[in-house]
Short mmCIF file of all heavy atoms in Angstrom, two decimals:
data_model
loop_
_atom_site.label_atom_id
_atom_site.label_comp_id
_atom_site.label_asym_id
_atom_site.label_seq_id
_atom_site.Cartn_x
_atom_site.Cartn_y
_atom_site.Cartn_z
N PRO C 19 -111.42 87.77 -71.85
CA PRO C 19 -112.04 87.33 -73.11
C PRO C 19 -112.41 88.52 -73.99
O PRO C 19 -112.83 89.57 -73.50
CB PRO C 19 -113.30 86.59 -72.64
CG PRO C 19 -112.98 86.15 -71.25
CD PRO C 19 -112.09 87.24 -70.68
N ALA C 20 -112.24 88.35 -75.30
CA ALA C 20 -112.48 89.43 -76.25
C ALA C 20 -113.91 89.96 -76.20
O ALA C 20 -114.14 91.14 -76.42
CB ALA C 20 -112.14 88.97 -77.67
N ASP C 21 -114.88 89.08 -75.89
CA ASP C 21 -116.27 89.55 -75.90
C ASP C 21 -116.64 90.33 -74.65
O ASP C 21 -117.72 90.93 -74.59
CB ASP C 21 -117.24 88.40 -76.15
CG ASP C 21 -117.18 87.29 -75.11
OD1 ASP C 21 -116.22 87.27 -74.30
OD2 ASP C 21 -118.08 86.45 -75.10
N ASP C 22 -115.79 90.36 -73.63
CA ASP C 22 -116.08 91.18 -72.44
C ASP C 22 -116.36 92.63 -72.83
O ASP C 22 -117.32 93.23 -72.34
CB ASP C 22 -114.91 91.15 -71.45
CG ASP C 22 -114.89 89.92 -70.56
OD1 ASP C 22 -115.77 89.04 -70.71
OD2 ASP C 22 -113.99 89.84 -69.71
N ALA C 23 -115.54 93.19 -73.70
CA ALA C 23 -115.72 94.60 -74.08
C ALA C 23 -117.07 94.82 -74.75
O ALA C 23 -117.74 95.83 -74.49
CB ALA C 23 -114.58 95.04 -74.99
N ALA C 24 -117.49 93.90 -75.59
CA ALA C 24 -118.78 94.05 -76.28
C ALA C 24 -119.94 93.98 -75.29
O ALA C 24 -120.89 94.77 -75.38
CB ALA C 24 -118.93 92.97 -77.35
N TRP C 25 -119.87 93.04 -74.35
CA TRP C 25 -120.95 92.93 -73.37
C TRP C 25 -120.97 94.15 -72.45
O TRP C 25 -122.04 94.65 -72.09
CB TRP C 25 -120.85 91.64 -72.56
CG TRP C 25 -121.14 90.42 -73.38
CD1 TRP C 25 -120.29 89.39 -73.66
CD2 TRP C 25 -122.37 90.11 -74.07
NE1 TRP C 25 -120.91 88.47 -74.46
CE2 TRP C 25 -122.19 88.88 -74.73
CE3 TRP C 25 -123.60 90.75 -74.19
CZ2 TRP C 25 -123.19 88.27 -75.49
CZ3 TRP C 25 -124.60 90.16 -74.95
CH2 TRP C 25 -124.39 88.94 -75.58
N LEU C 26 -119.80 94.63 -72.07
CA LEU C 26 -119.75 95.85 -71.24
C LEU C 26 -120.30 97.04 -72.01
O LEU C 26 -121.01 97.88 -71.43
CB LEU C 26 -118.32 96.12 -70.77
CG LEU C 26 -117.82 95.14 -69.71
CD1 LEU C 26 -116.32 95.35 -69.47
CD2 LEU C 26 -118.60 95.26 -68.41
N ALA C 27 -120.00 97.13 -73.30
CA ALA C 27 -120.55 98.22 -74.12
C ALA C 27 -122.08 98.15 -74.11
O ALA C 27 -122.76 99.19 -74.05
CB ALA C 27 -120.01 98.15 -75.55
N ARG C 28 -122.64 96.94 -74.16
CA ARG C 28 -124.10 96.80 -74.11
C ARG C 28 -124.65 97.29 -72.78
O ARG C 28 -125.70 97.95 -72.74
CB ARG C 28 -124.50 95.33 -74.34
CG ARG C 28 -125.99 95.10 -74.27
CD ARG C 28 -126.75 95.87 -75.34
NE ARG C 28 -128.18 95.74 -75.16
CZ ARG C 28 -129.06 96.69 -75.41
NH1 ARG C 28 -128.66 97.85 -75.92
NH2 ARG C 28 -130.34 96.51 -75.19
N THR C 29 -123.96 97.01 -71.67
CA THR C 29 -124.44 97.48 -70.37
C THR C 29 -124.43 99.00 -70.31
O THR C 29 -125.35 99.60 -69.73
CB THR C 29 -123.62 96.91 -69.20
OG1 THR C 29 -122.30 97.43 -69.21
CG2 THR C 29 -123.60 95.39 -69.21
N VAL C 30 -123.42 99.61 -70.90
CA VAL C 30 -123.35 101.08 -70.92
C VAL C 30 -124.48 101.64 -71.78
O VAL C 30 -125.12 102.63 -71.40
CB VAL C 30 -121.96 101.57 -71.39
CG1 VAL C 30 -121.95 103.06 -71.63
CG2 VAL C 30 -120.89 101.17 -70.37
#
Side-chain angles (χ1 to χ4, degrees):
D21 60 347
D22 278 1
W25 291 117
L26 289 171
R28 179 62 186 145
T29 68
V30 171

